[in-house]
Amino acid sequence: MKAIGIFYGSSTGYTKKIAERIKAYLEPGLIEIYDVKYAKKQDIEKYDNIILGSSTWGKGILQTDFERFLYNVLKFSDLRNKKIAIFGTGDSITYPESFVDAIGIIFEALKGKGVKFVGEFPTNGYQFKSSLSIFGDKFVGLPLDNDSEEEQNKLRIAIWADILKTNMN
Ligand SMILES: Cc1cc2nc3c(=O)[nH]c(=O)nc-3n(C[C@H](O)[C@H](O)[C@H](O)COP(=O)(O)O)c2cc1C
């Protein structure tokens, strides 16, 4: 597998923690983690394999730093033929109608840029009313719910890491 860049936006540190955990489940030596607050076009363009992660705020909006990164950096980056996987953190009990919307917002914004998306995830076991992150019958990335047991999140990350190992370059 080639190198992977993980780019996260995090307001209270949870998404950052998840980024570090995802790194541990992949091949840590091949992975570099970037806070999108400081990431530049050159940082993203050097990877063929990219993981993007954002929490959802408001009622269905991107984490502030990630929003800036998406519209000021990612939109202007050459992402053709890159494999991109998305994860999102959220809270399905307090925000059941906009659960992990960030995943879907990122997906929609990058569609049409020649990206190859990987890392879809089944909806089984999640409790929520609606989410912009579902296309067809799956999430277009990995949702991690604050309200799930720690063990369940770890298991989901482990399963997702295996999916990425199979589908990334
Ligand atoms: C004011 C506020 C609004 C939120 N809105 C949503 C939401 O619409 N959908 C969702 O799934 N989670 C929502 N959340 C939950 C956060 O996404 C969750 O706590 C996340 O883990 C924060 O990650 P971070 O610390 O990395 O930014 C909200 C949390 C707060 C405090």
Side-chain angles (χ1 to χ4, degrees):
M1 205 156 79
K2 290 190 205 162
I4 303 178
I6 303 183
F7 295 81
Y8 73 86
S10 183
S11 298
T12 66
Y14 188 65
T15 312
K16 178 179 188 209
K17 192 174 102 184
I18 297 292
E20 281 154 7
R21 195 168 282 172
I22 291 171
K23 172 176 174 169
Y25 278 91
L26 289 164
E27 288 176 51
L30 292 178
I31 294 165
E32 198 82 45
I33 299 183
Y34 298 80
D35 182 340
V36 295
K37 210 180 217 173
Y38 311 106
K40 301 188 174 60
K41 190 169 172 278
Q42 305 89 279
D43 297 324
I44 198 109
E45 285 182 345
K46 70 181 182 202
Y47 293 98
D48 290 330
N49 294 320
I50 296 165
I51 298 176
L52 304 174
S54 172
S55 44
T56 299
W57 288 83
K59 279 196 175 173
I61 61 171
L62 286 172
Q63 191 270 343
T64 322
D65 304 318
F66 205 99
E67 185 165 60
R68 186 203 57 83
F69 181 65
L70 180 63
Y71 297 112
N72 295 345
V73 180
L74 276 179
K75 276 280 200 183
F76 298 100
S77 300
D78 181 2
L79 302 177
R80 277 171 300 170
N81 297 318
K82 295 187 185 294
K83 299 269 178 89
I84 295 193
I86 309 168
F87 72 96
T89 54
D91 175 342
S92 66
I93 292 182
T94 318
Y95 304 95
E97 284 165 3
S98 53
F99 178 52
V100 293
D101 275 0
I103 298 175
I105 296 169
I106 297 167
F107 176 78
E108 281 286 358
L110 300 182
K111 245 174 35 184
K113 284 187 64 65
V115 169
K116 294 178 180 162
F117 289 101
V118 298
E120 287 184 337
F121 208 73
T123 57
N124 313 35
Y126 290 91
Q127 306 287 332
F128 61 97
K129 289 204 184 101
S130 63
S131 173
L132 294 178
S133 303
I134 296 182
F135 289 80
D137 60 354
K138 287 188 173 172
F139 288 110
V140 283
L142 173 70
L144 294 158
D145 192 346
N146 287 358
D147 300 309
S148 294
E149 298 291 330
E150 186 79 351
E151 287 310 311
Q152 191 171 24
N153 278 339
K154 280 188 185 161
L155 181 64
R156 285 171 173 158
I157 292 171
I159 294 168
W160 197 60
D162 281 342
I163 296 172
L164 300 193
K165 280 179 193 163
T166 313
N167 290 291
M168 283 189 151
N169 289 318

